[in-house]
Amino acid sequence: MSAVTDLTPYRAQLDMPEPAVPGELFLQFMKLFPSAVSVVTSLDFEGMPRGLTCSAACSVSMDPPTMLVCVNERNGSLAAIRESGGFVVNLLRSDRRHISDLFASNSPNKYRGLAWQPCPDSGMPWLPEDALAYVECQVVADVTAGSHAVLIGLVTGGRSNPAEAGPLVYWDRTYGRWSAGVPA
């Protein structure tokens, strides 16, 4: 990674109270929140690429530039992110549903036949044919909250690759595409 590789991430586990609403009711609320679909990638301790589909990614701050991603504690790619100390958020193009499905699966061969290359700053996997943009991050905080780790990353690099098609979005358990310029 870049000059900030000697950072030790802040780690914490939140003591979560008993749920106030059933999980099924929460899911009914959350499925109506549209979100961009990203593939979060990293390298494991052997230098092998790992990744997962993520709809819980967002910016945190402009000063300094930071992002967060939420990753299920049971996801095998979380160990790779923690071991390497970094991750890449690949914002998927609208016609890349198959890539989202692949990285959401338990397939051990997610990268077989897939065009990826190492990011210039970190060496982490970037999906140049599938991503509108990528953002490289170094983990500065790792907070366990219930079933997920909330990872906050200091942005160390990135690139945008705009396309007319826009990003892949997820809403009400279905894929869609962003349509700019639609009147309210």
Side-chain angles (χ1 to χ4, degrees):
M1 292 209 136
S2 63
V4 291
T5 54
D6 58 349
L7 275 177
T8 301
Y10 168 81
R11 295 193 191 277
Q13 180 164 352
L14 298 180
D15 291 326
M16 302 297 288
E18 288 297 315
V21 297
E24 296 79 27
L25 182 59
F26 178 67
L27 182 59
Q28 287 178 9
F29 303 149
M30 295 311 300
K31 73 179 187 176
L32 298 177
F33 278 71
S35 58
V37 181
S38 298
V39 169
V40 176
T41 57
S42 193
L43 295 172
D44 68 16
F45 71 97
E46 295 176 333
M48 298 301 296
R50 300 292 304 260
L52 66 132
T53 297
C54 181
S55 60
C58 68
S59 63
V60 174
S61 171
M62 286 288 292
D63 188 16
T66 50
M67 288 194 71
L68 73 74
V69 295
C70 298
V71 179
N72 192 306
E73 288 281 340
R74 295 181 312 213
N75 191 295
S77 295
L78 179 58
I81 294 169
R82 286 175 167 160
E83 289 166 2
S84 69
F87 59 89
V88 176
V89 178
N90 292 271
L91 176 63
L92 292 183
R93 295 176 185 274
S94 64
D95 59 350
R96 296 308 197 261
R97 296 173 190 197
H98 63 288
I99 300 296
S100 175
D101 289 342
L102 174 64
F103 279 88
S105 75
N106 289 327
S107 171
N109 301 313
K110 293 177 183 176
Y111 287 88
R112 184 181 301 166
L114 190 65
W116 72 275
Q117 62 188 39
C119 290
D121 292 332
S122 66
M124 299 280 178
W126 165 41
L127 307 175
E129 294 179 10
D130 304 307
L132 285 175
Y134 76 87
V135 180
E136 295 174 80
C137 296
Q138 181 178 3
V139 176
V140 294
D142 179 346
V143 179
T144 301
S147 61
H148 282 63
V150 179
L151 304 172
I152 298 175
L154 180 68
V155 175
T156 60
R159 179 182 298 172
S160 62
N161 215 8
E164 292 180 24
L168 182 63
V169 295
Y170 196 69
W171 178 77
D172 199 14
R173 296 185 170 179
T174 12
Y175 291 114
R177 54 180 71 207
W178 175 258
S179 183
V182 175

